[in-house]
Amino acid sequence: MHVRSWLRLAAIPGRLSLGIALVAALAAAAPVRAQSIATLQNSLQLAVCLNDWDTAIAHASQLEQVPGLPIKTLAQLVTFRRQMQLFRQNQTVVSPIDGCEPVLAGFGRPGYTGRPLDFDRGVYSSIGTGTPVVAADQTLRQYEALWQAGLGVTADTTLDPLAEAQRINTRSGSGVTTGAVSRRIDIYAFLGAQGDSADLDLTVIQQRPGVLYTDDAAQLFLFDAEGRLLAEARTTQGIQPRLPATTLPANGVYYAAVTTPQHRPLLDEGGFITGWQGIGTSAITYTLTIDGLTPSLDLGLR
């Protein structure tokens, strides 16, 4: 079985590769749409690594519609899609797949985007040791390593209302990040498995003057890969937002959004996000901790 070659980052003559060569061919065929094509490509890689053949087939079909594709590239996509249709029909589980470790660890090749506000303070708060006066060099290097490992890396998504999502690395089955939000929205993406009992815990570590209020009020929303709202929580009587033991319905990407009051998602009749309404009225710095997940590198084995 040649599945192991499909996700390598360099082209392999005579075999289907879903790496740099195919992305380059697709981008050359439609340079104006290169970014959206690359997003589809990354989503296709993730779906294959998760053995999610329905999603992978859908993304391959979308890529086949790119205008101006070279005949060879189109033929590769068609062949690949047909192979995945056989996998779906036979309920095939393929593991391991070469090239999937970086995809599942951070669900994509990482790109460093910079450290968010009060990152060190946020990590100290999340592990319950208080705010340090002076941090040791070794401690700072450890935090930098966590950040480099995937925290804050931009996620690829075709969902416009969640397009600013940053990845949270969950290779250990949990992850933590920190940020500051007032009028805007902070969105995070992470990988989960069907049946995982996810626990999302938001801790406000600083409150600042907002548009209307100076308080610790916050809102937390959880969406699935298609943008369906699964759960929400808000600050109530001094208790900060938490989504405990939320059962995840499928393997894939999930999105957590942090806002302050009056800034909420717009949903259609099916409960899927179509946009955002309102504006945040408070201003906070926070940590977001996610636990109860299957380690991301194990997702391809399920």
Side-chain angles (χ1 to χ4, degrees):
M1 187 178 297
H2 298 309
V3 179
R4 297 185 179 208
S5 69
W6 293 348
L7 295 176
R8 290 179 182 171
L9 298 182
I12 301 177
R15 297 181 182 178
L16 182 61
S17 172
L18 292 180
I20 295 172
L22 184 53
V23 172
L26 291 165
V32 175
R33 300 179 55 206
Q35 184 173 3
S36 60
I37 290 171
T39 297
L40 275 175
Q41 159 73 7
N42 291 337
S43 298
L44 174 57
Q45 287 182 315
L46 176 60
V48 171
C49 290
L50 293 174
N51 283 209
D52 181 358
W53 306 127
D54 285 330
T55 300
I57 290 166
H59 288 322
S61 297
Q62 289 175 286
L63 287 171
E64 289 173 28
Q65 304 306 312
V66 174
L69 278 183
I71 296 298
K72 181 178 179 181
T73 302
L74 181 58
Q76 287 179 326
L77 281 169
V78 170
T79 300
F80 180 57
R81 175 172 52 77
R82 288 174 178 170
Q83 181 65 72
M84 291 189 295
Q85 287 171 335
L86 286 176
F87 286 164
R88 179 176 63 181
Q89 177 181 329
N90 298 327
Q91 298 183 336
T92 302
V93 175
V94 182
S95 180
I97 302 175
D98 288 348
C100 276
E101 181 172 345
V103 174
L104 292 174
F107 51 108
R109 283 170 285 152
Y112 190 73
T113 59
R115 187 196 305 270
L117 180 64
D118 281 347
F119 179 76
D120 297 338
R121 179 177 180 179
V123 174
Y124 268 95
S125 174
S126 71
I127 60 177
T129 58
T131 303
V133 176
V134 177
D137 288 344
Q138 182 178 358
T139 301
L140 290 177
R141 286 197 297 270
Q142 290 174 341
Y143 295 162
E144 183 68 18
L146 289 173
W147 183 249
Q148 291 273 15
L151 300 179
V153 177
T154 302
D156 298 306
T157 177
T158 56
L159 298 171
D160 288 340
L162 305 175
E164 298 300 319
Q166 297 182 76
R167 293 191 293 235
I168 297 180
N169 192 317
T170 56
R171 64 185 305 152
S172 65
S174 63
V176 60
T177 190
T178 185
V181 66
S182 54
R183 300 185 184 186
R184 61 190 293 273
I185 305 160
D186 280 355
I187 303 171
Y188 300 98
F190 61 93
L191 286 178
Q194 182 178 13
D196 279 352
S197 184
D199 189 341
L200 283 70
D201 192 358
L202 189 145
T203 301
V204 175
I205 58 178
Q206 183 185 35
Q207 57 188 44
R208 298 171 282 107
V211 175
L212 295 179
Y213 307 110
T214 301
D215 57 25
D216 63 354
Q219 298 180 129
L220 179 61
F221 303 93
L222 177 64
F223 303 90
D224 67 11
E226 297 179 342
R228 181 190 293 109
L229 180 64
L230 299 179
E232 63 179 286
R234 60 178 299 166
T235 302
T236 305
Q237 296 179 342
I239 300 175
Q240 294 175 354
R242 186 185 178 200
L243 298 175
T246 304
T247 302
L248 303 184
N251 290 12
V253 181
Y254 291 85
Y255 299 94
V258 179
T259 73
T260 60
Q262 312 307 321
H263 208 170
R264 294 187 52 82
L266 283 169
L267 306 176
D268 64 14
E269 293 180 355
F272 296 88
I273 186 170
T274 59
W276 294 91
Q277 62 182 346
I279 186 171
T281 55
S282 302
I284 58 170
T285 302
Y286 63 88
T287 60
L288 175 63
T289 304
I290 304 176
D291 293 307
L293 303 174
T294 297
S296 58
L297 292 179
D298 293 343
L299 285 173
L301 306 178
R302 298 181 58 141

